[in-house]
Amino acid sequence: MADHEASKINHDNHLLLDQPLLRLPYELLRKNFRSAHFTVEKESTTLNKLLKETAKRSLDSKTSPEDVVKNLDAMIAKMRGMKRKLSTYADEETRLYKQLDARVAHLRELSDMHSVEDVKYEAWSRKRLDRLLVDYMLRHGYNTSAQALANERQMHDLVDVETFLTMSKIRESLENGSVAEALAWCNDNKKELRKLQSSLEFLLRCQQYIELLRINTISKSVEAIAHAKKYIAPFQEQYPDEVREMAALLAHRPTDKDLPPKYAAWYSPDRWSKLASTFVEAHNKLLGLPTFPLLHTALSSGLSALKTPACHGTQKTTSSSQPGHSQTSMTSSVCPICSIELNELAKNVPYAHHSKSHLDNDLLLLPNGRVYGQAKLDEYAAKAGLAEGQVKDLVTGEVYSRAALKKVFA
């Protein structure tokens, strides 16, 4: 009964990890609809105004037929332009609905499984692992590898390559000292960023101002003052301290000796990487994406199920003075928590909570401090072809006499 419960699939827990799989297409559909609606409203207003003007001028005897025809041609050009824009939005909507259908079908496959022992579950979980790997690589800039994996596994509709490629491009432009792409993105998402109370646009405008001051010429200083009046002063109520510091930077240039630390920080080259991190944070928050890669979340949940207070001890492997013989410490084992690769990630996850403990019968303590059930030792000794009265450690491979073993009472 216990084994059956342990192998049973908890669909709710799986869906917790896969929330972004459905949420991102939904958020992109909302954004696409808002953009299409804005285009229709804007172009319709312009067309109505042009239509009224054309109708009014056509009734005026002073207006020549050629002028009326010109107005009509302008209206037709406007409508064709609006049609092209709406066709683009329609194509994007079709792509997103196709992506959403594929993801729902992927999750529906899981709903038809009820045990991890199901032969279909291994293939499904492998596909999910591939998705998590693509997500991880896209977040860390390994775009070519991510695209290659997505294409090889034929799961382009299950991963968000285009979204992360756009994010990666803007992040790299900020790291290379350009704010143009990031400001264009802020302009496209102005209302949403305002709702989130994001400081990204303000910080980008401040960086533009700082770069003008860095040149340290009279013409650039005048340009910086005009820039501050237009783009920084409107943020006075939201960021009063920062706006005052921006004004003070006019009297504190990067070439000044004994530049106060708070002003030197504004001129630091490290600000570009901070801006890139601020952009990524705002981008993920806007689209409902988790801050950390989903692979970290999946690994953390698995590591938490295995972590015990004995983990994160010393795990160095020491060698004895005898050549060809190694001695392994008690904490150096096959435990994933204690492995070099996952040890750092597991430090901040909680300990496992086990309501039931499972121990082997007839426990025996080996001289190296490890404990195993007698049945396991006998079985392993038989497989290893050991002499009568000898046992072998299942992990380290050390061989001991059965007389050296001690009985353990649990």
Side-chain angles (χ1 to χ4, degrees):
M1 181 66 181
D3 292 340
H4 173 72
E5 289 296 326
S7 64
K8 186 178 180 181
I9 296 177
N10 190 321
H11 295 92
D12 292 339
N13 287 345
H14 277 73
L15 289 177
L16 285 175
L17 183 63
D18 290 319
Q19 276 186 355
L21 188 67
L22 296 179
R23 182 165 183 178
L24 182 57
Y26 170 73
E27 292 293 339
L28 293 176
L29 279 168
R30 286 181 59 193
K31 180 183 177 182
N32 188 67
F33 175 78
R34 285 195 301 267
S35 300
H37 182 264
F38 176 76
T39 299
V40 170
E41 290 290 326
K42 181 181 177 182
E43 298 296 337
S44 296
T45 302
T46 305
L47 284 171
N48 286 334
K49 184 178 179 180
L50 193 57
L51 180 61
K52 289 180 181 179
E53 182 181 344
T54 303
K56 184 177 179 181
R57 293 183 68 179
S58 64
L59 298 175
D60 190 352
S61 58
K62 297 180 181 179
T63 304
S64 64
E66 289 79 8
D67 292 336
V68 175
V69 171
K70 284 182 180 179
N71 282 354
L72 290 174
D73 289 340
M75 289 174 58
I76 293 172
K78 281 279 185 184
M79 287 187 284
R80 285 175 177 169
M82 183 171 68
K83 182 182 178 180
R84 283 193 300 270
K85 291 180 181 179
L86 292 179
S87 296
T88 303
Y89 293 131
D91 292 341
E92 176 67 5
E93 183 177 348
T94 302
R95 185 187 72 83
L96 290 172
Y97 274 124
K98 179 187 174 185
Q99 195 178 75
L100 199 56
D101 289 341
R103 297 180 182 201
V104 170
H106 175 62
L107 294 178
R108 189 181 295 119
E109 291 176 7
L110 177 66
S111 67
D112 296 333
M113 306 173 200
H114 302 286
S115 172
V116 295
E117 297 174 356
D118 192 319
V119 292
K120 297 179 182 178
Y121 181 75
E122 183 178 353
W124 188 92
S125 59
R126 178 66 203 184
K127 184 179 288 188
R128 182 178 64 174
L129 177 59
D130 290 336
R131 287 197 294 106
L132 299 183
L133 289 172
V134 171
D135 174 82
Y136 179 87
M137 289 189 286
L138 287 171
R139 286 172 179 267
H140 288 80
Y142 304 112
N143 300 327
T144 304
S145 299
Q147 287 178 292
L149 179 58
N151 293 333
E152 182 183 342
R153 296 290 191 265
Q154 297 182 351
M155 57 176 188
H156 202 270
D157 287 332
L158 300 180
V159 291
D160 307 294
V161 175
E162 290 80 7
T163 300
F164 281 105
L165 285 180
T166 302
M167 183 195 76
S168 182
K169 181 181 177 182
I170 298 174
R171 180 183 60 197
E172 289 174 4
S173 69
L174 286 171
E175 292 172 344
N176 293 329
S178 172
V179 299
E181 293 86 347
L183 282 173
W185 183 84
C186 288
N187 187 57
D188 292 339
N189 301 276
K190 187 179 291 288
K191 291 183 179 180
E192 292 76 14
L193 290 173
R194 192 179 296 121
K195 290 179 182 178
L196 295 175
Q197 297 182 341
S198 173
S199 61
L200 178 61
E201 183 180 358
F202 172 71
L203 294 176
L204 292 172
R205 295 299 185 185
C206 287
Q207 194 64 36
Q208 283 183 308
Y209 172 79
I210 290 167
E211 296 307 313
L212 290 171
L213 294 180
R214 199 188 300 275
I215 299 174
N216 202 12
T217 62
I218 295 177
S219 61
K220 290 298 180 181
S221 296
V222 172
E223 188 177 341
I225 293 172
H227 175 87
K229 288 179 179 178
K230 184 175 181 180
Y231 296 112
I232 298 178
F235 291 96
Q236 174 93 31
E237 294 183 2
Q238 291 175 263
Y239 311 104
D241 296 337
E242 289 82 356
V243 171
R244 280 194 292 268
E245 290 181 13
M246 287 297 105
L249 286 179
L250 283 168
H252 296 87
R253 300 304 172 95
T255 55
D256 293 350
K257 295 182 179 179
D258 300 325
L259 186 65
K262 70 175 181 178
Y263 299 122
W266 286 106
Y267 289 113
S268 172
D270 295 337
R271 282 194 51 78
W272 288 109
S273 60
K274 292 179 180 177
L275 282 173
S277 299
T278 303
F279 162 72
V280 171
E281 182 182 350
H283 174 273
N284 291 343
K285 194 173 182 180
L286 185 68
L287 296 178
L289 294 170
T291 306
F292 299 101
L294 293 173
L295 183 62
H296 283 188
T297 305
L299 283 173
S300 297
S301 60
L303 292 173
S304 179
L306 299 173
K307 186 176 177 181
T308 67
C311 298
H312 291 97
T314 57
Q315 62 229 36
K316 294 181 179 178
T317 301
T318 58
S319 298
S320 67
S321 58
Q322 300 178 12
H325 177 75
S326 64
Q327 181 182 1
T328 308
S329 66
M330 288 183 63
T331 54
S332 177
S333 68
V334 293
C335 172
I337 310 296
C338 300
S339 68
I340 297 174
E341 296 81 4
L342 299 176
N343 187 265
E344 190 65 28
L345 181 61
K347 276 187 176 180
N348 296 322
V349 301
Y351 292 120
H353 174 69
H354 296 294
S355 57
K356 294 180 182 179
S357 297
H358 301 278
L359 295 175
D360 291 328
N361 296 324
D362 300 326
L363 293 175
L364 295 174
L365 175 66
L366 274 60
N368 64 0
R370 296 182 179 275
V371 178
Y372 300 101
Q374 183 175 342
K376 285 185 177 179
L377 289 173
D378 292 341
E379 181 184 357
Y380 194 56
K383 288 181 179 179
L386 298 179
E388 185 70 24
Q390 288 186 322
V391 295
K392 189 175 184 180
D393 192 309
L394 278 66
V395 175
T396 66
E398 295 170 288
V399 178
Y400 299 102
S401 170
R402 190 176 292 275
L405 276 55
K406 295 180 181 180
K407 180 76 172 178
V408 175
F409 300 92

